[in-house]
Each structure stands twice: as structure tokens, then as C-alpha cells.
Amino acid sequence: MMSFKKNLLWAVCGASVFVSGMSAAATTTLHVATWLPPTSAQNAVVWPTWKEWVETATEGRVEVVIENYTGSPKTIFDAVEDGVFDAGFSVNAYIPGRFKLASVAEIPGEITDAEVGSVALWRTYEAYFKADQEFRGLHLLALFVHGPGQLNTTFPVNSLEDLKGKKMRVGGGLVNVLAERLGVTPISAPAPKSYELMQQGVVDGTFLPAEQQKTLRLSEVTTDLVLFPKGLYTTAFSIVMNPDSFDGLSKKDQEAIMSVSGEKLSRLAGAAWGKADDEGILEAKASGVNVVYLSKEDALVKDMDELEKGIDQEWINSVSDRKVDANAALAYFRKNVSELSQ
């Protein structure tokens, strides 16, 4: 009798292990579209970390597969919205007019730290922008910014006059307003096109953070990297998910994914992209690029500060068609940046 009970116990345990193994194998796979080189902060740090977070939080029920996106980064939002991919990220300004509110983080001189700016942006979205539903058709997972945008050029910049008439690659958003005020000839193109455009002499430089000296290998085609203490601008990115893919998950897994997204993912992305600027500067120096550190006392910085005045109002005017108190949202964003910087 004891032997029968023992054998029955082992049989039940074996069946339980088998069922458990089947459950663990029955995962939902999320296909995530990414672009930029493998060395970029997004691909080297952000996506792998989020993948681990999601798979741990869902206890293995959801698997994240990162896939290289070979199309233009301008089409990623459409690819996710149409269900070609379950999730992805891109630059908001690549779709002019669609995601205007988050460009509050692109106002020149507002952000010097990408992690701070990313968290402040997410909090402002939650408090002021969410109700406007700019992201309808998509499920928003995070918002973040890169480090301060700088001047990557093939010529020395000693004054603002040196920029007049120069052909500069721009990515859209409020940096376009700055480019217009500087009197440069703007050439609109996604960031990955910068190397090709500079190598072929189509442009004389590009507005991008220092990290792209390494990630996009700009150190090979740049002669001068001019670093402004507050940078010139920042760019807002969105990490999004297909709403049907999200709704198809169990309530438990939806909550698990959002527990490792939102502010947490925004902070991770901002911190990773910001830290990469240091690596970009080292790469520039190692490649013989003339790296110029400016201080707030330099005439070039003072002239740039003067030129940037009023761009905050340009943002306020640009979102007048949205259901948001833009002045209050900007004040809230600035308050968060200030508090998070302390």
C-alpha cells in the first residue's frame, strides 16, 4: 500500500512538472523593431534591459525578440500601428504635426541631463498631455530624450557668423526653428543619414548629441565638435506598442509590462543615451576631431542664448490646437527638471 501511494505521488509530481513546463513554454512573443547600429545605447543597453525586465515581470509568459528594422525610422510608428511589429521606437519629429506636445523637451536650454529630461517629460505627459490622446492608435510605453544636441561640423565655429549659409542636417522639431534663426541651410534627414551626407559633402555638419561621434561614426567625417554647456536642443523619442498586441495580453501581463515601462523605462533610456555622450567625446578625441568645450562666459554661448530666446513661446504657439494648458505644462516640466537636477 505504501509503495502504491509513493508511486502515485511521483506520478502526480511528474504530471505537475510536465504541465508547468508546458505553461512556461507557451509564451507570447513580442517582436520589437529597432534601428541604429548595435553599438547605440538603445540597442546595447535599453532594449536588452527592458527585454529582461519584461520576461522576469511576466514570469516567462511574454518573450521579447529584438529585430533589426531595415526601413526608414520615419516609418516605424506606422509599422507598429499596422501590427507589422508589436513595439518599436522612433523620433517624434520624424512625423511632423502628429506628436507635438512632447517637443516641450526640445526647447533649447531646458535640459542638460538626458535622464532628468526623460523623467520630467514622462511626468509631464502623465499630468498634462495624456488626455489629448496624441498617441491614439498606439500604446505609449515610454518617452525619452537624448543628451544635449551639439554641433558636429567639417569647419571651425568661432562665431554664429561662421554658421550662416552652411548646409546642416536637421531631424525636425524645434531644432528646425533654431536652424532658421542661425541662417543655415537645413537639410532634413534621419540621423543615420548624417555620415553619408557629410562624407559626400552634401552637408557641412549635423545637429546631433556627442554620442553619435561613436554610434554613427561621425568621428570619421567630422573635423570639429563644439560642445555648448547646455547643448543646443534635445530630441524627444517615443517607445510604443501596438494596442491590439497589448490588449491581447492578460490583465496580469499588461500590468507587469507597464510596471517596467512608463517612468522606469523613460529613466533607463535617458540615462543610457546621456551616458553615451562621454563615449562619443572620447571617440572624437581619439580620432583627432577638434573638440571645443565652451563655457557660459564664451561670446559664442551668450550669442546663442540670445538667439534662442522666445523658442519656448514658439512651442506654446505650436500646440495651440491641442487640448492642453501649454503654459502650465511648461511650468510643470521646468519644475520637474529643476527638482530632479538637485
Side-chain angles (χ1 to χ4, degrees):
M1 190 71 174
M2 284 292 291
S3 178
F4 173 77
K5 287 183 177 180
K6 186 175 181 180
N7 289 339
L8 180 61
L9 178 62
W10 278 109
V12 170
C13 288
S16 298
V17 170
F18 178 75
V19 171
S20 174
M22 288 290 288
S23 176
T27 59
T28 296
T29 301
L30 298 181
H31 296 273
V32 177
T34 192
W35 45 288
L36 291 175
T39 54
S40 71
Q42 189 69 24
N43 293 330
V45 179
V46 182
W47 282 135
T49 303
W50 188 70
K51 168 184 167 68
E52 182 180 347
W53 285 352
V54 168
E55 293 175 354
T56 298
T58 61
E59 300 174 317
R61 292 183 298 275
V62 177
E63 177 189 17
V64 176
V65 176
I66 314 299
E67 300 178 2
N68 185 48
Y69 188 74
T70 57
S72 168
K74 292 184 176 183
T75 63
I76 283 212
F77 290 120
D78 287 338
V80 173
E81 189 169 7
D82 294 342
V84 179
F85 287 89
D86 297 300
F89 85 105
S90 197
V91 176
N92 290 357
Y94 285 170
I95 311 295
R98 183 172 182 182
F99 310 114
K100 297 195 293 186
L101 294 174
S103 57
V104 65
E106 299 179 359
I107 299 171
E110 297 290 335
I111 299 171
T112 57
D113 182 281
E115 179 180 354
V116 165
S118 299
V119 174
L121 178 56
W122 178 262
R123 291 180 181 178
T124 306
Y125 164 78
E126 287 279 278
Y128 285 91
F129 301 156
K130 194 172 185 177
D132 188 78
Q133 298 186 344
E134 272 195 336
F135 288 90
R136 55 188 170 275
L138 295 163
H139 181 81
L140 185 64
L141 294 174
L143 291 165
F144 70 95
V145 298
H146 62 43
Q150 307 287 4
L151 288 178
N152 304 259
T153 64
T154 57
F155 60 94
V157 180
N158 298 307
S159 72
L160 296 188
E161 287 297 316
D162 294 329
L163 289 162
K164 289 191 182 300
K166 297 295 186 181
K167 293 172 290 184
M168 296 289 292
R169 196 261 3 156
V170 295
L174 290 182
V175 69
N176 285 18
V177 177
L178 180 62
E180 181 181 343
R181 293 186 177 195
L182 285 168
V184 304
T185 301
I187 306 296
S188 181
K193 284 287 187 181
S194 295
Y195 183 98
E196 177 186 343
L197 293 173
M198 292 179 73
Q199 183 186 50
Q200 295 177 355
V202 176
V203 299
D204 302 301
T206 181
F207 293 97
L208 280 173
E211 63 121 344
Q212 301 299 353
Q213 285 285 316
K214 179 178 180 180
T215 300
L216 296 182
R217 297 165 40 223
L218 293 188
S219 62
E220 298 176 13
V221 292
T222 301
T223 61
D224 292 76
L225 172 62
V226 184
L227 303 173
F228 287 75
K230 286 188 175 182
L232 299 177
Y233 72 102
T234 47
T235 291
F237 296 76
S238 297
I239 299 178
V240 295
M241 188 169 173
N242 178 277
D244 292 332
S245 298
F246 186 79
D247 292 342
L249 299 170
S250 68
K251 181 75 171 177
K252 184 176 182 180
D253 287 341
Q254 289 177 5
E255 292 175 351
I257 287 176
M258 290 312 298
S259 74
V260 296
S261 301
E263 183 173 318
K264 183 173 183 176
L265 179 55
S266 300
R267 182 186 294 275
L268 169 71
W273 281 65
K275 184 178 180 181
D277 283 343
D278 294 334
E279 298 175 12
I281 292 171
L282 290 175
E283 183 72 20
K285 289 179 176 178
S287 300
V289 176
N290 179 36
V291 180
V292 180
Y293 291 88
L294 299 175
S295 74
K296 63 181 181 180
E297 301 303 324
D298 285 316
L300 183 54
V301 174
K302 291 180 178 179
D303 290 343
M304 188 69 79
D305 288 344
E306 193 65 28
L307 190 75
E308 292 172 346
K309 286 182 178 179
I311 294 183
D312 53 355
Q313 186 61 48
E314 297 244 8
W315 173 77
I316 291 171
N317 295 341
S318 74
V319 298
S320 60
D321 61 334
R322 298 298 199 254
K323 299 174 183 177
V324 64
D325 184 338
N327 285 287
L330 177 55
Y332 182 80
F333 175 75
R334 285 171 168 166
K335 177 176 178 288
N336 275 272
V337 169
S338 177
E339 292 176 350
L340 289 163
S341 300
Q342 294 174 4

